[in-house]
Amino acid sequence: MNIDIISFLINLTCILLLPSLKFSIAVDTLDLSQSFTNGMTLVSQGEKFVLGFFSPMNSNKSYLGIWYKNIPVQTVVWVANGVKPINDSSSGILTLNDTGNLVLKQRDEVVWYTTSQQGSLNPVAQLLDSGNLVIRGEKETNPEVYLWQSFDYPSDTILPGMKLGWNLRTHTERRMTSWKSPDDPSPGDLYWGSLLYNYPEQYLMQGTKKYVRVGPWNGLHFSGVPDQKPNNVYAYNFVSNKDEIYYTYSMLNDSVISRMELNQTDSIYYRYVWSEDQQIWNVMKSLPKDRCDYYRKCGVYGICTITGSLLCECLSGFSPRSPAAWNSSDWSQGCVRNKPLNCTNKLNDGFVKVKGLKIPDCSHTWVDQTIGLNECRLKCLNNCSCTAYTNSNITGEGSGCVMWFGDLIDIREFENDGQDLYIRMDASELGKEGHDGLKKNLISILASIIIASGMLFFGYRLYILRHRITEDSENIELEGGRGSEDEDDLDLPLLTYSTLVTATDNFSIKNKIGEGGFGPVYKGRLASRQEIAVKRLSSDSGQGINELKNEVKLIAKLQHRNLVKLLGCCIEEEHRMLVYEYMPNNSLNWLIFGMNISNILIPW
């Protein structure tokens, strides 16, 4: 066989096989120089996901999407052009332009494009092992500065690491939306989204109507999904801050493949886990799982109980609005109070504690994360429009406060889980538990008043004491503070020993002006420049503290304008002294050393 024949056969083989071959360009990335057409694929580095063109079963239209690489049943997890398909299977072309955006065209018509506003000198599009298609700078590795990512635009599937919720900085929502049908990836009317109430909730919506209320995050799980507990398959997390509010989950074992999907045909949310042994997707969870999951099944103030003899019952203290409709299993009109709240004396109202619930619709709520249950009760009681309250976070012993205003809607009872709700009732409708709660409430109010009054009184006394101390410390020495209670009746200022030491130059011999049997007398000068005479009791005089106090009181009472003035005294530890006004020209000597009144009254 000559060379020409061999070459012809090789070329013929390539021509025949070419349409069925799929090509991978640059493995997982697309750059400015490349075009991506039907038959080509990007494969993530770990060969977990594939980006390419696909056509759903029974459809001749083409879509750009992402699917699992190693799962034999093609399972598409993201679609780019679901709204506008390519009308055949060969004319689609994907390029990356120099502004850092992907553009998908059918011939010359744009059918889909990304909207990054940041731009980059050398942008590349890359498919990651998480299933996330990203646009980034060629050398950029920080996910926070990606130019664009498919995870921000979910289709009908949520993968580990994707976020369900809101970017509050851009006010854009990340929601998953069902396909219209297995043959049509265009958006259906079933979606999982978040409503930004004061106490944000997540819902399954049908168009603009609430279909299944998943409820708010209560610190452990969504209120409507109490079986969302820690497990060995996946971990979940809820984040709420000034920038974002979202739910996400992650796999605890990389070998386990799991996804969340909304199915328009069944109107059900599924969580799937891939079974390698059976080669099928097993359903791990679904929602709605029973009739009580459907929104507002039992109307206002009705409670749905899947294990009860009747699906719907009225809360205690309420009766069916239409008994005839209720008895025929039409619960849509709900229930009304047996005794309306009139708020003429709101402190007579109380609360009935109902356990194990999915808490009511949070459309009209008020939340304070900084206070506890007791303060929450008081705030609710003092607002006539408040109809119920509970903790906003049930972790541990519970924290935070959420209060409801208006009718309570979409309540269900769980057999073993759920959380407590405190429902406002007129005092006449309270059972023993309610009266006990009312009693506790009144006790709490009274205790709060007593504690507050005590604190105010203590604060006032502390202020007065500090004011007196400050006022006393600012006086001159002769107007010094009192001593102990035993000294309060001396009716004279008490001077400190240190003051008199300073005034007499440490009782210097040069300041000594005389001495008697009772002890020496010193001349001194106070800081106010007033001259004084200090009579110091000697340690061997036999004078006791009581005798000295008696003398001081008696001398003070006998003071006369023609006698020298007794200014004060010092009674500090072993130091006992009398302080006189200093009289020059020996007039003081006559009083103290001639006819000394103290020697006459009490022998020193």
Side-chain angles (χ1 to χ4, degrees):
M1 186 179 293
N2 60 35
I3 300 298
D4 292 336
I5 296 176
I6 294 174
S7 177
F8 171 77
L9 291 175
I10 292 174
N11 290 334
L12 179 62
T13 302
C14 290
I15 292 171
L16 293 174
L17 294 178
L18 186 61
S20 63
L21 294 177
K22 290 185 180 289
F23 296 94
S24 174
I25 59 172
V27 185
D28 63 345
T29 59
L30 177 70
D31 62 29
L32 294 173
S33 65
Q34 298 167 313
S35 295
F36 188 89
T37 61
N38 201 309
M40 295 179 175
T41 59
L42 294 183
V43 180
S44 66
Q45 189 172 20
E47 297 193 344
K48 293 185 176 181
F49 288 94
V50 177
L51 172 73
F53 291 92
F54 75 97
S55 294
M57 181 177 58
N58 302 322
S59 173
N60 60 358
K61 296 179 180 181
S62 182
Y63 300 86
L64 178 69
I66 298 173
W67 59 88
Y68 293 97
K69 183 179 187 303
N70 298 315
I71 292 180
V73 180
Q74 187 183 54
T75 306
V76 177
V77 298
W78 182 78
V79 180
N81 59 317
V83 174
K84 194 171 184 179
I86 297 169
N87 291 324
D88 57 64
S89 60
S90 61
S91 61
I93 181 170
L94 178 71
T95 57
L96 178 67
N97 64 27
D98 55 9
T99 66
N101 282 292
L102 289 168
V103 179
L104 177 62
K105 292 182 178 181
Q106 177 178 253
R107 300 181 179 88
D108 292 328
E109 181 186 4
V110 175
V111 296
W112 175 83
Y113 60 93
T114 63
T115 56
S116 169
Q117 302 295 323
Q118 301 179 55
S120 176
L121 291 177
N122 296 297
V124 296
Q126 181 180 22
L127 180 63
L128 306 180
D129 274 336
S130 60
N132 192 9
L133 176 65
V134 305
I135 305 174
R136 59 176 178 82
E138 185 177 23
K139 297 182 179 180
E140 184 59 64
T141 59
N142 183 4
E144 296 298 322
V145 292
Y146 286 158
L147 305 179
W148 179 90
Q149 56 182 334
S150 63
F151 269 20
D152 285 338
Y153 304 91
S155 295
D156 69 331
T157 300
I158 295 296
L159 298 173
M162 295 181 76
K163 299 176 180 179
L164 272 175
W166 286 84
N167 182 329
L168 300 178
R169 291 167 296 184
T170 60
H171 204 72
T172 55
E173 185 182 10
R174 306 179 185 101
R175 61 165 70 164
M176 65 172 171
T177 306
S178 65
W179 290 14
K180 277 189 175 179
S181 72
D183 300 331
D184 184 359
S186 61
D189 67 351
L190 185 69
Y191 71 90
W192 181 318
S194 301
L195 296 179
L196 297 180
Y197 302 138
N198 288 330
Y199 197 31
E201 297 192 279
Q202 296 211 356
Y203 288 83
L204 288 182
M205 306 285 289
Q206 279 189 328
T208 59
K209 295 182 179 180
K210 297 173 180 177
Y211 177 59
V212 174
R213 188 173 64 93
V214 184
W217 185 263
N218 59 23
L220 295 179
H221 51 75
F222 291 112
S223 180
V225 194
D227 57 348
Q228 188 179 18
K229 296 178 179 178
N231 57 78
N232 58 4
V233 178
Y234 63 90
Y236 45 86
N237 191 26
F238 184 80
V239 174
S240 178
N241 55 45
K242 63 182 180 64
D243 296 321
E244 294 181 292
I245 296 179
Y246 66 86
Y247 164 79
T248 187
Y249 73 98
S250 59
M251 303 310 298
L252 298 178
N253 187 336
D254 288 340
S255 65
V256 178
I257 300 174
S258 179
R259 62 189 175 92
M260 295 163 53
E261 179 190 296
L262 275 185
N263 187 299
Q264 176 78 40
T265 304
D266 300 332
S267 295
I268 291 179
Y269 144 83
Y270 291 107
R271 180 183 288 278
Y272 290 107
V273 173
W274 176 252
S275 172
E276 190 65 31
D277 293 336
Q278 297 175 290
Q279 293 287 287
I280 60 171
W281 288 103
N282 283 325
V283 176
M284 187 175 180
K285 286 182 181 295
S286 64
L287 196 71
K289 59 182 179 294
D290 56 49
R291 290 193 294 167
C292 282
D293 276 336
Y294 294 102
Y295 181 71
R296 201 171 176 164
K297 186 67 177 179
C298 298
V300 298
Y301 297 114
I303 181 169
C304 194
T305 309
I306 201 68
T307 58
S309 56
L310 293 175
L311 186 68
C312 292
E313 297 177 357
C314 290
L315 289 166
S316 177
F318 296 79
S319 299
R321 182 181 298 274
S322 171
W326 193 271
N327 291 334
S328 63
S329 299
D330 177 6
W331 304 293
S332 59
Q333 298 183 52
C335 308
V336 293
R337 292 180 179 274
N338 296 331
K339 182 66 179 295
L341 298 174
N342 55 32
C343 211
T344 54
N345 187 351
K346 56 191 174 187
L347 293 182
N348 279 340
D349 292 342
F351 297 92
V352 171
K353 179 180 179 180
V354 186
K355 300 180 179 180
L357 303 181
K358 175 175 79 171
I359 59 176
D361 182 291
C362 298
S363 304
H364 305 290
T365 52
W366 175 89
V367 178
D368 187 341
Q369 303 287 2
T370 67
I371 64 176
L373 206 59
N374 288 333
E375 190 172 351
C376 190
R377 171 190 284 267
L378 293 177
K379 283 185 176 294
C380 185
L381 191 65
N382 282 282
N383 189 317
C384 291
S385 299
C386 179
T387 52
Y389 74 92
T390 192
N391 281 133
S392 56
N393 189 316
I394 63 171
T395 304
E397 296 182 356
S399 62
C401 168
V402 55
M403 302 192 322
W404 278 262
F405 299 90
D407 293 336
L408 305 180
I409 305 169
D410 194 43
I411 306 172
R412 76 164 290 171
E413 184 179 49
F414 294 107
E415 189 173 4
N416 299 313
D417 296 292
Q419 60 192 96
D420 299 338
L421 182 69
Y422 299 84
I423 300 175
R424 189 175 195 151
M425 302 295 293
D426 184 86
S428 62
E429 289 292 328
L430 297 176
K432 181 180 185 301
E433 180 181 355
H435 283 294
D436 289 344
L438 178 60
K439 184 188 299 183
K440 290 179 181 177
N441 184 56
L442 293 175
I443 292 173
S444 297
I445 295 174
L446 182 60
S448 299
I449 294 173
I450 293 173
I451 291 172
S453 300
M455 292 178 66
L456 288 173
F457 177 76
F458 176 76
Y460 172 75
R461 293 295 298 169
L462 185 61
Y463 167 77
I464 294 298
L465 177 61
R466 287 180 175 176
H467 180 71
R468 286 179 178 174
I469 292 173
T470 303
E471 191 177 64
D472 290 346
S473 66
E474 293 174 350
N475 290 336
I476 62 172
E477 286 83 347
L478 287 178
E479 297 174 347
R482 293 284 181 182
S484 66
E485 293 180 0
D486 292 337
E487 298 161 0
D488 286 345
D489 59 351
L490 292 179
D491 294 325
L492 280 175
L494 294 172
L495 285 81
T496 64
Y497 177 68
S498 61
T499 297
L500 298 182
V501 168
T502 302
T504 60
D505 193 16
N506 199 19
F507 301 102
S508 170
I509 190 65
K510 67 179 181 180
N511 287 330
K512 187 175 181 180
I513 57 177
E515 185 169 1
F518 54 83
V521 179
Y522 297 87
K523 178 183 177 181
R525 185 186 298 273
L526 295 173
S528 62
R529 312 301 295 172
Q530 181 175 5
E531 291 184 321
I532 59 174
V534 181
K535 185 171 74 171
R536 190 177 188 187
L537 177 64
S538 64
S539 59
D540 56 355
S541 68
Q543 180 82 14
I545 185 66
N546 291 328
E547 289 82 359
L548 178 61
K549 290 198 296 185
N550 289 333
E551 178 177 357
V552 169
K553 287 187 282 188
L554 188 53
I555 292 175
K557 291 177 182 179
L558 291 174
Q559 296 218 61
H560 189 271
R561 65 183 179 179
N562 295 325
L563 296 177
V564 66
K565 187 176 181 181
L566 179 63
L567 300 177
C569 62
C570 174
I571 304 175
E572 187 174 314
E573 297 180 352
E574 74 276 9
H575 306 294
R576 299 163 190 171
M577 288 170 268
L578 295 175
V579 180
Y580 293 91
E581 179 184 13
Y582 178 75
M583 301 294 291
N585 302 325
N586 295 321
S587 58
L588 182 64
N589 292 352
W590 181 85
L591 174 68
I592 295 180
F593 303 115
M595 297 181 67
N596 190 292
I597 189 68
S598 62
N599 283 335
I600 296 173
L601 297 173
I602 301 176
W604 279 30

